[in-house]
Amino acid sequence: MPQLSLTFSLAEQSFSWTRSIGLLNLSMGMLEHVARRPEVGKVTLLSNDTFAGALNLPANVETLIHNEANGRGLSRMFWDQWKVYSAAKDAGNEWLFMPKGFVSFLRKCPVKLTAYVPDVVFDHYERNYPGKFSKLEVLYLKQSIKAALRQSKVIFTCSEFTNSELTRVAQKWGITPPPLVAIGTGFTRKLKLDVPKDDRIVVLASPFAHKRTDLALKYLERWCKETSFQGRVDWVGGFEKGVSLPKLPNWQLHQRVPEKEFREMVARARALVYFTEYEGFGMPPVEAIIAGTCSVYSDIPCTFEVMQGMGAPFKNESYESFAQALETAMKTSPEQLDAWTNKLLERHNWDVGAEKIVKALLAAK
């Protein structure tokens, strides 16, 4: 018997300009699975035209288009601070679910509020990279997270690490947080493609400082020279201003790769390299292994929690650790990758996550 009705907002996200494809895919997967839970009755989706045909939703989901939320600037701020709450009130559902975690700090939510907070990376930047983001943007994000902590009946996160980080910043701000529930994210076996392996390494790059692309360039250049690696090194993403790709044989930068081409690129590679110093979850190492390619990734608290030693972790501060991890990845057998895939899919799937969400919402009633 349905016991829950909820409004779910995707209107403020978009494939065309999102900073995090991972969070966008997570939001979509979360909605598709929660809406199918037997405890959930009416669902109202606040969406925009960029999601046309992209969602697989059951019949109990009503979609309302709010293109004014899709973008940045004053219209987006007005949506965040006022209109999304009005839309939730008009929908008549018991709950409003905000999957990006940013809620209005100018208005009290007229229905029960829950949010998904993927990380508190803004706090990491304040402490480690002051000046990298505009002070106004950081202030806006902080006020939105503070409002989420004050107004939400329950907050969902992607990891126990993010729970601890939210608890830390809440204490710093003098806020008693609501219940924090780590639900992780979900992956599927369909990511694996039956394609031959090339002598190729795929490296994820980013212009954001915490992704440590500077370290990736330094370590990969040294490793290629020391080992005389003759294969391809495909860099996917972008660099900080003033940084360029070294002129090494078979190194190529792909700033934007369509999803289908990227999946095939990863499946053909012998290793996927993922540098970072701060994440709430860190999806690429999981996705690579499920795709049949060993991931070489920074060993930080969230990746330790998520991966449990599977794949090839390394310490950012040690080139020797990285070089050993990459050598290990290149030799990893398909049988080992299959075994890791089974464990990862058992740990990280939306059936488990959706059940946790529903139980927490019912408990918060």
Side-chain angles (χ1 to χ4, degrees), residues 76-319:
R76 167 61 189 277
M77 292 175 65
F78 185 51
W79 170 262
D80 287 347
Q81 295 303 318
W82 197 266
K83 286 197 71 177
V84 66
Y85 281 4
S86 295
K89 183 179 179 181
D90 292 343
N93 296 317
E94 182 182 13
W95 287 91
L96 170 63
F97 199 131
M98 298 295 289
K100 285 192 73 174
F102 302 126
V103 308
S104 174
F105 50 83
L106 297 181
R107 180 182 180 189
K108 185 178 179 181
C109 189
V111 298
K112 292 180 180 178
L113 178 67
T114 185
Y116 178 92
V117 179
D119 56 51
V120 290
V121 70
F122 63 85
D123 181 75
H124 182 77
Y125 271 78
E126 268 198 321
R127 290 181 290 116
N128 296 281
Y129 302 102
K132 281 285 186 179
F133 280 112
S134 84
K135 291 183 179 180
L136 278 177
E137 182 178 2
V138 171
L139 178 63
Y140 188 88
L141 297 179
K142 283 173 63 176
Q143 294 304 316
S144 294
I145 294 296
K146 286 180 180 180
L149 286 165
R150 290 189 176 108
Q151 294 189 42
S152 299
K153 301 290 185 182
V154 58
I155 287 179
F156 300 105
T157 71
C158 50
S159 63
E160 295 297 342
F161 171 71
T162 300
N163 280 1
S164 68
E165 287 286 270
L166 264 181
T167 300
R168 178 179 60 79
V169 296
Q171 289 175 344
K172 182 170 69 172
W173 295 332
I175 300 172
T176 300
L180 305 177
V181 181
I183 60 170
T185 186
F187 300 90
T188 61
R189 200 178 295 274
K190 69 181 180 182
L191 293 174
K192 189 170 183 178
L193 301 176
D194 186 17
V195 294
K197 288 289 182 185
D198 300 333
D199 196 18
R200 173 194 301 215
I201 297 169
V202 173
V203 190
L204 301 185
S206 172
F208 295 109
H210 75 283
K211 295 293 189 179
R212 296 311 309 266
T213 302
D214 60 326
L215 206 55
L217 286 164
K218 177 181 176 182
Y219 284 3
L220 258 298
E221 182 174 10
R222 178 177 170 182
W223 182 84
C224 285
K225 290 178 178 178
E226 288 183 356
T227 63
S228 301
F229 180 66
Q230 298 300 309
R232 278 181 73 128
V233 180
D234 289 304
W235 295 76
V236 180
F239 297 146
E240 284 192 86
K241 189 175 181 180
V243 177
S244 60
L245 200 67
K247 294 182 179 179
L248 291 176
N250 302 320
W251 279 36
Q252 186 173 357
L253 175 63
H254 312 265
Q255 291 192 327
R256 199 84 174 181
V257 182
E259 184 76 6
K260 184 177 179 181
E261 292 179 27
F262 176 69
R263 295 301 175 196
E264 183 171 348
M265 183 186 292
V266 172
R268 288 182 177 276
R270 295 172 63 192
L272 177 132
V273 176
Y274 180 68
F275 276 76
T276 184
E277 66 183 16
Y278 187 94
E279 300 292 331
F281 187 93
M283 296 171 72
V286 181
E287 292 172 329
I289 288 177
I290 295 173
T293 297
C294 190
S295 50
V296 181
Y297 59 90
S298 299
D299 187 6
I300 58 176
C302 79
T303 57
F304 178 82
E305 176 186 341
V306 169
M307 299 298 293
Q308 295 289 294
M310 289 176 270
F314 65 88
K315 298 294 184 182
N316 282 345
E317 61 271 18
S318 169
Y319 165 77

Side-chain angles (χ1 to χ4, degrees), residues 293-357:
T293 297
C294 190
S295 50
V296 181
Y297 59 90
S298 299
D299 187 6
I300 58 176
C302 79
T303 57
F304 178 82
E305 176 186 341
V306 169
M307 299 298 293
Q308 295 289 294
M310 289 176 270
F314 65 88
K315 298 294 184 182
N316 282 345
E317 61 271 18
S318 169
Y319 165 77
E320 290 73 21
S321 173
F322 167 76
Q324 181 60 55
L326 185 51
E327 293 289 348
T328 297
M330 304 278 273
K331 298 173 184 175
T332 301
S333 69
E335 293 75 20
Q336 180 63 79
L337 289 167
D338 286 343
W340 284 338
T341 293
N342 291 335
K343 290 181 180 179
L344 288 167
L345 289 173
E346 185 178 347
R347 283 174 54 81
H348 307 297
N349 67 80
W350 271 124
D351 289 337
V352 173
E355 182 178 6
K356 288 182 178 180
I357 290 172

